[in-house]
Amino acid sequence: MTTTPDVVPTGNRADEIQIYDLHKNFGDLAVLKGISTVVRRGEVVCVIGPSGSGKSTLLRCVNLLEEPTSGRIFILNEEITDPDADVDFIRTQMGMVFQQFNLFPHLTVLENCTIGQTQVKKIPRSVAEENARANLAKVGLADRTASYPAQLSGGQQQRVAIARALSMDVEMILFDEPTSALDPELVGDVLGVMRDLADEGMTMMVVTHEMAFAREVADRVIFMDGGVIVEEGHPDQVIGSPREERTRTFLQRVLDPTHASPAPQAGGGDRSQPPAAG
Amino acid sequence: MSSTATVAPRVTRAKISPRKRARRIRLVQYAVLIALVVLMIATVDGRQVQSVFFRPDLIVLTLQGVPHALFNTLAYTLGAFVVGLVLGTILALMRLSQVAPYRWLASIYIEFFRGVPALIVLLSFGLLSVAFPGLRFPFDPYGTVWAALGMVSAAYMAETIRAGIQAVPKGQVEAARSLGMPAGMATRKIVLPQAFRIITPPLTNELILLTKDSSLVYVLGLTTAAFELTKFGRELSNSNVNLTPLVVAGFCYLIITLPLTFLVRRMEARQQKAR
Ligand SMILES: Nc1ncnc2c1ncn2[C@@H]1O[C@H](COP(=O)(O)OP(=O)(O)OP(=O)(O)O)[C@@H](O)[C@H]1O
Ligand SMILES: [Mg+2]
């Protein structure tokens, strides 16, 4: 079950995200308690788990929006946790899509997609705009380049956020619950764009509650609980026939909300005292 | 509804309805106002009022010098505003710094200049070149005024700008950093533009206050060429023993401040609507 390689780091650029024994504490609260995993080029990894299990924190540690307490993370063979690392450069190869979109409200849709290119990568404006338009067309928003984010629906804003990440010509994208803030009827558009990206071979790490999406699109599913990886593997296995009791309890609750009330009692005991996985 | 009406006993009702009462009070207020106007017209000599406050020949005379004085008022005000804006932004960023001594220094500065009369600061700056014979501000006396009034208004603006920066959601910085922007670039390109948009109304109010505070420069002992509206009007009023020039000068301030006030109202209304 463990995916930790024998040699650390692997030295293989195709092992795009390498996480080794990652710990993160907020004060006295241990949120991540030894996470290790490797995400390979073109792989789509969905991270699922109950609220507060540390999914967002894991994702935010990967691009160093949160400083890990201990452990090492390698992005494209460069250690981002190295104190001497050029974190800003490493981040240009790795997009992030947030639950709340976080578009820049004072910039147009087009400018949202060019500012990183022109300011950070010093790409000429005309080239950057061409690139931005191509990516906006890809997410189905070619006609909204002159709009401001406030003039768009949530689903459109999130697609602009994806285009903004793509415009940096990234190797991989981290998604933190990209559809959780959307009205139900807008979720499909965003998931559709993400499915297209997956088909094109984009490396993706997706924190999500959309089990159908995870099952259909993911190459691997990671189930987290209490700051550890409880179970990981092919979606058909983890979601279809989970080995661990905690995974079963969680999936029961997520897939069939009518069972929500009896489930916490069943899972309550082992949640407070998580058994060491692996 | 009907049940409560029947429950209320008839005796407790006021002798006159509240609506009638309100109308009666309004009538009394009108009566008082009319009485005051009649009294004023009866006692005040209109011609004398005109000759003291609005003497036509003095209005013409004053208006000839107004463009130059108005220019000086604007020059003092806008220069000080720019100094205040730049310095205020630096102070606001210091207040929010991770480095504690920066926070302390900024706090001391802000509390000092908010607590001391602007007049004293201005007087001190005027005397600086006397105390240090070598010291001269560029574009004297403009440079002196810009520095003195700018440093005072920076203290006020710093707090406003800090509030504006803090009103920008944390996710904005995170989005900027995840694009690979260094912290400074994220502040300049993403945070500050949004912060200043939020605080444009209070900053415009600061500009209005500064316009009026520019009248304090009279304490610097200016040459005639450097007179601004107040000093200019006052000199003319003194030499003619008549208030007309000062009244004209006062109206000139309104030409600047009233449109700005109007602008602030509109911006605030629009921000209220956007919320
Ligand atoms: N900046 C922070 N300071 C203190 N505690 C934090 C901070 N960020 C997260 N936490 C805590 O860490 C724990 C894990 O949070 P995290 O956001 O990673 O969970 P999550 O799995 O993403 O949950 P959700 O599904 O609700 O988003 C929570 O208990 C949370 O309160
Ligand atoms: Mg989360």
Side-chain angles (χ1 to χ4, degrees):
Chain A
M1 204 190 101
T2 175
T3 54
T4 312
D6 302 330
V7 189
V8 172
T10 64
N12 185 352
R13 215 179 127 88
D15 294 331
E16 294 197 336
I17 305 173
Q18 303 175 42
I19 305 168
Y20 300 116
D21 199 25
L22 173 65
H23 288 255
K24 174 64 184 176
N25 302 343
F26 288 110
D28 291 335
L29 181 70
V31 173
L32 298 180
K33 306 171 190 165
I35 302 277
S36 299
T37 196
V38 175
V39 179
R40 296 183 184 84
R41 178 175 298 151
E43 201 180 11
V44 177
V45 175
C46 283
V47 183
I48 62 172
S51 180
S53 55
K55 307 181 297 294
S56 297
T57 306
L58 169 62
L59 218 57
R60 293 161 59 81
C61 281
V62 168
N63 71 353
L64 226 64
L65 284 182
E66 298 289 356
E67 188 88 37
T69 306
S70 70
R72 305 175 75 187
I73 299 172
F74 296 82
I75 306 297
L76 298 166
N77 263 343
E78 279 189 75
E79 183 172 5
I80 195 170
T81 43
D82 183 334
D84 296 328
D86 186 350
V87 176
D88 291 329
F89 172 73
I90 297 175
R91 281 179 178 148
T92 61
Q93 303 169 305
M94 177 169 47
M96 179 128 184
V97 174
F98 301 85
Q99 184 174 350
Q100 298 297 337
F101 328 134
N102 294 358
L103 292 181
F104 305 130
H106 62 300
L107 302 178
T108 64
V109 164
L110 189 68
E111 289 165 343
N112 264 277
C113 296
T114 55
I115 189 164
Q117 298 184 71
T118 54
Q119 297 294 325
V120 180
K121 297 174 89 175
K122 308 295 178 200
I123 292 173
R125 175 162 303 279
S126 55
V127 179
E129 286 188 354
E130 200 175 317
N131 189 12
R133 281 180 205 282
N135 285 309
L136 285 166
K138 198 174 194 171
V139 301
L141 290 170
D143 54 337
R144 303 308 299 266
T145 50
S147 306
Y148 282 90
Q151 299 167 318
L152 303 181
S153 74
Q156 291 171 327
Q157 289 190 49
Q158 194 61 298
R159 284 185 280 150
V160 173
I162 294 173
R164 174 173 71 180
L166 289 174
S167 296
M168 291 299 281
D169 202 15
V170 290
E171 298 274 339
M172 65 200 90
I173 304 184
L174 313 173
F175 294 84
D176 190 2
E177 299 197 28
T179 58
S180 295
L182 298 179
D183 291 337
E185 75 270 21
L186 302 176
V187 169
D189 291 345
V190 173
L191 291 182
V193 167
M194 291 170 64
R195 191 176 293 124
D196 293 346
L197 282 181
D199 290 344
E200 286 170 27
M202 174 66 73
T203 310
M204 294 161 63
M205 206 170 165
V206 186
V207 173
T208 187
H209 291 298
E210 301 285 341
M211 291 304 146
F213 174 84
R215 191 147 186 187
E216 184 202 339
V217 179
D219 298 302
R220 177 156 50 107
V221 170
I222 293 178
F223 172 68
M224 279 180 70
D225 193 9
V228 297
I229 295 177
V230 176
E231 185 167 358
E232 68 178 303
H234 194 273
D236 287 341
Q237 183 260 302
V238 177
I239 300 176
S241 54
R243 291 197 193 96
E244 301 290 327
E245 178 58 36
R246 278 196 280 173
T247 318
R248 266 196 290 275
T249 314
F250 168 75
L251 287 170
Q252 246 168 35
R253 236 178 292 167
V254 175
L255 296 175
D256 190 357
T258 51
H259 285 172
S261 29
Q265 276 175 315
D270 50 348
R271 256 181 67 105
S272 50
Q273 212 65 347
Chain B
M1 248 209 98
S2 57
S3 65
T4 52
T6 48
V7 165
R10 261 196 115 66
V11 264
T12 59
R13 278 189 56 164
K15 278 190 194 117
I16 50 169
S17 75
R19 256 211 356 236
K20 263 191 199 153
R21 223 175 101 83
R23 219 183 76 188
R24 205 169 285 180
I25 291 172
R26 216 163 26 211
L27 278 178
V28 170
Q29 286 174 346
Y30 276 117
V32 170
L33 186 66
I34 290 165
L36 280 176
V37 172
V38 169
L39 196 71
M40 236 174 78
I41 291 169
T43 54
V44 174
D45 179 349
R47 207 168 295 157
Q48 196 193 359
V49 167
Q50 195 196 11
S51 68
V52 172
F53 292 99
F54 305 100
R55 220 174 82 192
D57 60 318
L58 275 181
I59 291 180
V60 173
L61 180 71
T62 313
L63 282 178
Q64 282 165 1
V66 154
H68 190 77
L70 189 63
F71 171 84
N72 278 334
T73 291
L74 288 175
Y76 291 134
T77 305
L78 292 180
F81 189 70
V82 170
V83 171
L85 212 53
V86 173
L87 197 57
T89 305
I90 294 170
L91 285 166
L93 291 173
M94 284 171 71
R95 276 292 302 257
L96 295 169
S97 166
Q98 308 281 334
V99 186
Y102 279 148
R103 293 200 298 271
W104 301 334
L105 281 174
S107 295
I108 292 169
Y109 180 100
I110 290 167
E111 295 312 327
F112 180 84
F113 280 99
R114 287 207 305 183
V116 168
L119 200 57
I120 287 189
V121 179
L122 209 53
L123 279 170
S124 312
F125 269 77
L127 291 175
L128 271 184
S129 47
V130 183
F132 304 97
L135 185 82
R136 285 197 62 84
F137 284 94
F139 312 114
D140 201 53
Y142 297 96
T144 313
V145 177
W146 292 341
L149 288 182
M151 282 177 77
V152 174
S153 72
Y156 289 93
M157 288 196 225
E159 289 297 271
T160 308
I161 295 168
R162 180 175 65 97
I165 291 173
Q166 285 177 322
V168 177
K170 218 175 107 233
Q172 290 292 312
V173 178
E174 292 182 346
R177 298 305 303 273
S178 72
L179 287 174
M181 287 194 191
M185 187 190 284
T187 302
R188 270 181 292 119
K189 297 286 175 184
I190 304 299
V191 177
L192 287 183
Q194 293 183 55
F196 277 107
R197 195 157 300 195
I198 296 169
I199 58 171
T200 305
L203 281 186
T204 312
N205 272 329
E206 181 62 29
L207 183 60
I208 293 171
L209 292 178
L210 210 47
T211 307
K212 294 186 289 178
D213 277 353
S214 68
S215 64
L216 294 175
V217 305
Y218 75 88
V219 295
L220 286 184
L222 304 166
T223 60
T224 325
F227 282 2
E228 41 64 66
L229 282 171
T230 303
K231 179 72 176 165
F232 165 73
R234 187 166 158 226
E235 289 294 311
L236 268 185
S237 275
N238 280 345
S239 54
N240 291 286
V241 201
N242 187 285
L243 282 169
T244 305
L246 268 178
V247 170
V248 173
F251 275 103
C252 287
Y253 281 103
L254 289 179
I255 291 172
I256 306 171
T257 56
L258 280 183
L260 286 177
T261 313
F262 178 73
L263 208 65
V264 172
R265 290 247 175 82
R266 281 223 353 211
M267 285 187 294
E268 279 173 344
R270 198 176 307 167
Q271 284 189 358
Q272 205 77 40
K273 242 194 334 201
R275 213 156 280 160

Coordinates of all heavy atoms in Angstrom, one line a residue, chain A residues 117-144:
Chain A
Q117 N 2.1 36.1 -16.3 CA 3.1 35.9 -17.4 C 3.9 37.2 -17.6 O 5.2 37.1 -17.7 CB 2.3 35.7 -18.7 CG 1.4 34.5 -18.7 CD 0.8 34.4 -20.1 OE1 1.4 34.1 -21.1 NE2 -0.5 34.6 -20.2
T118 N 3.3 38.4 -17.5 CA 4.1 39.6 -17.8 C 5.0 40.0 -16.7 O 6.1 40.4 -16.8 CB 3.2 40.7 -18.2 OG1 2.2 40.9 -17.2 CG2 2.4 40.5 -19.5
Q119 N 4.4 39.9 -15.4 CA 5.1 40.3 -14.3 C 6.2 39.4 -13.8 O 7.3 39.7 -13.4 CB 4.2 40.7 -13.1 CG 3.2 41.8 -13.5 CD 3.8 43.1 -13.7 OE1 4.8 43.4 -13.0 NE2 3.3 43.9 -14.6
V120 N 5.8 38.1 -13.7 CA 6.7 37.1 -13.1 C 7.6 36.5 -14.2 O 8.9 36.5 -14.0 CB 5.9 36.0 -12.4 CG1 6.8 34.9 -11.8 CG2 5.0 36.5 -11.4
K121 N 7.1 36.1 -15.3 CA 7.9 35.4 -16.3 C 8.4 36.4 -17.4 O 9.2 36.0 -18.3 CB 7.1 34.3 -17.0 CG 6.7 33.2 -16.0 CD 5.8 32.2 -16.7 CE 6.5 31.1 -17.3 NZ 5.6 30.0 -17.8
K122 N 8.0 37.7 -17.3 CA 8.5 38.7 -18.2 C 8.3 38.4 -19.6 O 9.1 38.7 -20.5 CB 10.0 39.0 -17.9 CG 10.4 39.2 -16.5 CD 9.9 40.5 -15.9 CE 10.2 40.7 -14.5 NZ 9.3 41.6 -13.8
I123 N 7.1 37.8 -19.9 CA 6.7 37.5 -21.3 C 6.1 38.8 -21.9 O 5.4 39.5 -21.2 CB 5.7 36.4 -21.3 CG1 6.4 35.1 -20.8 CG2 5.0 36.2 -22.6 CD1 5.4 33.9 -20.7
P124 N 6.4 39.1 -23.1 CA 5.9 40.3 -23.8 C 4.3 40.3 -23.7 O 3.7 39.2 -23.9 CB 6.4 40.3 -25.2 CG 7.6 39.4 -25.1 CD 7.4 38.4 -24.0
R125 N 3.7 41.5 -23.6 CA 2.3 41.5 -23.4 C 1.5 40.8 -24.6 O 0.6 40.1 -24.3 CB 1.9 43.0 -23.3 CG 0.3 43.2 -23.3 CD 0.0 44.6 -22.8 NE 0.6 44.8 -21.5 CZ 0.1 44.4 -20.3 NH1 -1.1 43.7 -20.4 NH2 0.6 44.6 -19.2
S126 N 1.9 41.1 -25.8 CA 1.2 40.5 -26.9 C 1.2 39.0 -26.9 O 0.2 38.3 -27.1 CB 1.8 41.0 -28.2 OG 3.1 40.7 -28.3
V127 N 2.3 38.4 -26.6 CA 2.5 37.0 -26.5 C 1.6 36.4 -25.3 O 0.8 35.5 -25.4 CB 3.9 36.5 -26.3 CG1 4.0 35.0 -26.2 CG2 4.8 37.1 -27.4
A128 N 1.7 37.2 -24.2 CA 0.9 36.7 -23.0 C -0.6 36.8 -23.3 O -1.3 35.9 -22.9 CB 1.2 37.7 -21.8
E129 N -1.0 37.8 -24.0 CA -2.5 37.9 -24.3 C -2.9 36.8 -25.2 O -4.0 36.2 -25.0 CB -2.8 39.3 -24.9 CG -2.7 40.4 -23.8 CD -3.2 41.7 -24.3 OE1 -3.5 41.8 -25.5 OE2 -3.3 42.6 -23.5
E130 N -2.1 36.5 -26.2 CA -2.4 35.4 -27.1 C -2.6 34.1 -26.3 O -3.6 33.4 -26.5 CB -1.3 35.3 -28.1 CG -1.7 34.6 -29.4 CD -0.6 34.6 -30.4 OE1 0.1 35.7 -30.6 OE2 -0.3 33.6 -31.0
N131 N -1.6 33.8 -25.5 CA -1.6 32.7 -24.6 C -2.9 32.6 -23.7 O -3.6 31.6 -23.6 CB -0.4 32.7 -23.8 CG -0.2 31.4 -23.1 OD1 -0.8 30.4 -23.3 ND2 0.8 31.4 -22.1
A132 N -3.2 33.8 -23.1 CA -4.3 33.9 -22.2 C -5.6 33.6 -23.0 O -6.5 32.8 -22.5 CB -4.4 35.2 -21.6
R133 N -5.8 34.2 -24.2 CA -7.0 34.0 -25.0 C -7.1 32.5 -25.4 O -8.3 32.0 -25.3 CB -6.9 34.8 -26.3 CG -7.2 36.3 -26.1 CD -7.2 37.0 -27.4 NE -6.9 38.4 -27.1 CZ -7.8 39.3 -26.7 NH1 -9.1 38.9 -26.5 NH2 -7.5 40.6 -26.5
A134 N -6.0 31.8 -25.7 CA -6.1 30.4 -26.0 C -6.6 29.6 -24.9 O -7.5 28.7 -25.0 CB -4.8 29.9 -26.5
N135 N -6.1 29.9 -23.7 CA -6.6 29.2 -22.5 C -8.0 29.5 -22.1 O -8.7 28.6 -21.6 CB -5.6 29.4 -21.3 CG -4.3 28.7 -21.5 OD1 -4.3 27.5 -21.8 ND2 -3.2 29.4 -21.4
L136 N -8.4 30.8 -22.3 CA -9.8 31.1 -22.0 C -10.7 30.4 -22.9 O -11.8 30.0 -22.6 CB -9.9 32.7 -22.0 CG -9.4 33.4 -20.8 CD1 -9.2 34.9 -21.0 CD2 -10.2 33.1 -19.6
A137 N -10.3 30.3 -24.2 CA -11.1 29.6 -25.2 C -11.3 28.1 -24.7 O -12.3 27.5 -24.8 CB -10.5 29.7 -26.5
K138 N -10.2 27.6 -24.2 CA -10.2 26.2 -23.8 C -11.2 25.9 -22.7 O -11.8 24.9 -22.6 CB -8.8 25.9 -23.3 CG -8.4 24.4 -23.2 CD -7.0 24.4 -22.8 CE -6.4 23.0 -23.0 NZ -4.9 23.1 -22.8
V139 N -11.4 26.9 -21.8 CA -12.3 26.7 -20.7 C -13.7 27.3 -21.0 O -14.6 27.4 -20.2 CB -11.9 27.4 -19.3 CG1 -10.5 26.8 -18.9 CG2 -11.7 28.9 -19.5
G140 N -13.9 27.7 -22.3 CA -15.2 28.1 -22.8 C -15.5 29.5 -22.5 O -16.7 29.8 -22.4
L141 N -14.5 30.4 -22.3 CA -14.8 31.8 -22.0 C -14.2 32.8 -22.9 O -13.8 33.9 -22.5 CB -14.4 32.0 -20.5 CG -15.3 31.3 -19.5 CD1 -14.6 31.4 -18.1 CD2 -16.7 31.9 -19.4
A142 N -14.0 32.4 -24.2 CA -13.3 33.2 -25.1 C -14.0 34.6 -25.2 O -13.4 35.6 -25.5 CB -13.2 32.6 -26.5
D143 N -15.3 34.6 -25.0 CA -16.1 35.9 -25.2 C -16.2 36.7 -24.0 O -16.8 37.8 -24.0 CB -17.5 35.5 -25.7 CG -18.2 34.6 -24.8 OD1 -17.5 33.8 -24.0 OD2 -19.4 34.5 -24.7
R144 N -15.5 36.4 -22.9 CA -15.6 37.1 -21.6 C -14.3 37.8 -21.2 O -14.2 38.2 -20.1 CB -16.1 36.3 -20.5 CG -17.5 35.6 -20.7 CD -18.6 36.5 -21.2 NE -18.9 37.6 -20.2 CZ -19.8 37.5 -19.3 NH1 -20.5 36.4 -19.2 NH2 -20.0 38.5 -18.5

